[in-house]
Amino acid sequence: MEGKLYLCATPIGNLEDITLRVLRVLKEADLIAAEDTRNSIKLLNHFEIHTPMTSYHEYNKYDKARELVQAMGKGKQVALITDAGTPGISDPGEELVRLCWEEGIEVTSLPGPSACITALTLSGLSTRRFAFEAFLPGDKKERQEILRELAVETRTLILYEAPHRLVKTLEELYAALGNRRMTLCRELTKKHETVFRTDLEQALAHYRTEEPRGECVLVIEGRKQEDLLKERQESWAAFTLEEHLRIYEEQGESRKEAMRLVAKDRGCSRREIYQALLENKNR
């Protein structure tokens, strides 16, 4: 039998959320690669699964990935699990998946719990388009760059945060994004699950006095398209029409296309731009 990698989604809190298919694969696999074996043994013991385990985590993900790929190359069936949720989502599993495809090892994903999707569906915010940011980077410069990108993102935003860093992150988000509607979810699927529909300002005021507890998922309203358009239009107001047109022509655009782009930037029709240019020329 050829080796194969199974990405097995495990509960993010409530053990009843595990699927029958995941239970079967975990029992039938030759080896389970777990992010934290001390945590995962509780899950395996609960369901009386005795498959051998090995650790696969952020600090050994390159060397261990090669070992696991070699084992699968010899026909071993490997099930990958994370501490909670779906492997590969903000998780070292993505490195193992990448290496498997490079080495011709088949990969399949067994769907199940995911904190980001669970929180999004609970949020009451738009679910059609969303951007998953996971944890903001620790590096200060990189963090500021990401925050600048999020400030103009029109899709619903999803972030993870630990309780001891929650207030600082809310402060940075409020400074970068302004006040936005948001839903803060904590302890998802667990006994003390909380879904807090609020906005950034109120959430910040609340957690400055109330100690945060439990892992948090922040679902934040994206930037409104009309606000973004208005800001873009205002930024072009500093240029004359001729200067604005020249910018696109110097980029190699034809005069006709440049006029269309200027009209789009300024929120009007190409005919209006043409007429205004003509009047300016006559004056």
Side-chain angles (χ1 to χ4, degrees), residues 2-243:
E2 294 183 357
K4 190 172 181 178
L5 177 65
Y6 296 86
L7 306 177
C8 297
T10 52
I12 58 177
N14 194 317
L15 294 181
E16 293 179 0
D17 291 335
I18 200 163
T19 70
L20 295 175
R21 186 181 175 205
V22 167
L23 288 175
R24 177 179 60 79
V25 168
L26 291 178
K27 290 176 181 178
E28 295 178 355
D30 297 302
L31 182 65
I32 295 173
E35 186 175 7
D36 186 340
T37 55
R38 295 166 301 178
N39 181 66
S40 296
I41 194 64
K42 301 172 188 175
L43 175 74
L44 301 188
N45 286 343
H46 181 84
F47 290 106
E48 299 182 354
I49 297 170
H50 306 293
T51 306
M53 263 198 305
T54 187
S55 62
Y56 177 78
H57 48 70
E58 184 65 30
Y59 303 104
N60 72 352
K61 63 181 181 181
Y62 299 110
D63 292 338
K64 181 55 72 75
R66 285 189 284 271
E67 289 180 26
L68 292 171
V69 166
Q70 288 176 0
M72 286 181 277
K74 296 175 182 177
K76 297 292 185 182
Q77 309 294 300
V78 176
L80 178 67
I81 59 176
T82 184
D83 282 349
T86 301
I89 303 295
S90 186
D91 172 83
E94 65 177 321
E95 175 62 26
L96 179 56
V97 173
R98 181 189 65 78
L99 192 58
C100 280
W101 286 123
E102 287 181 0
E103 298 298 324
I105 303 293
E106 186 180 355
V107 181
T108 190
S109 183
L110 283 59
S114 173
C116 62
I117 299 300
T118 303
L120 177 64
T121 56
L122 283 172
S123 71
L125 298 173
S126 174
T127 61
R128 191 178 73 84
R129 299 173 68 245
F130 60 92
F132 175 59
E133 188 57 43
F135 291 94
L136 289 172
D139 179 78
K140 188 175 180 180
K141 185 177 180 181
E142 186 182 359
R143 192 179 180 95
Q144 289 304 311
E145 181 60 34
I146 294 295
L147 286 168
R148 280 193 290 270
E149 291 178 9
L150 295 181
V152 295
E153 175 60 69
T154 57
R155 293 171 292 181
T156 300
L157 307 172
I158 308 174
L159 296 93
Y160 290 162
E161 194 49 276
H164 65 281
R165 292 194 300 264
L166 180 62
V167 171
K168 180 186 175 185
T169 296
L170 287 172
E171 288 173 343
E172 292 177 322
L173 288 167
Y174 182 65
L177 279 58
N179 199 22
R180 302 263 189 98
R181 289 191 303 160
M182 70 168 295
T183 299
L184 193 150
C185 303
R186 51 176 294 278
E187 297 289 87
L188 284 169
T189 77
K190 299 177 183 177
K191 182 178 180 180
H192 299 292
E193 173 181 284
T194 304
V195 180
F196 186 19
R197 292 203 69 207
T198 179
D199 58 36
L200 280 168
E201 186 176 26
Q202 291 180 4
L204 186 53
H206 176 79
Y207 284 109
R208 275 174 172 161
T209 58
E210 191 80 23
E211 183 184 0
R213 293 182 180 179
E215 296 299 314
C216 301
V217 185
L218 285 60
V219 187
I220 304 170
E221 182 180 43
R223 181 77 180 272
K224 288 185 171 61
Q225 286 278 7
E226 54 267 30
D227 291 344
L228 204 58
L229 181 61
K230 183 180 178 182
E231 186 178 286
R232 189 178 296 128
Q233 290 169 359
E234 289 173 350
S235 69
W236 284 113
F239 294 84
T240 66
L241 283 177
E242 288 76 11
E243 289 170 340

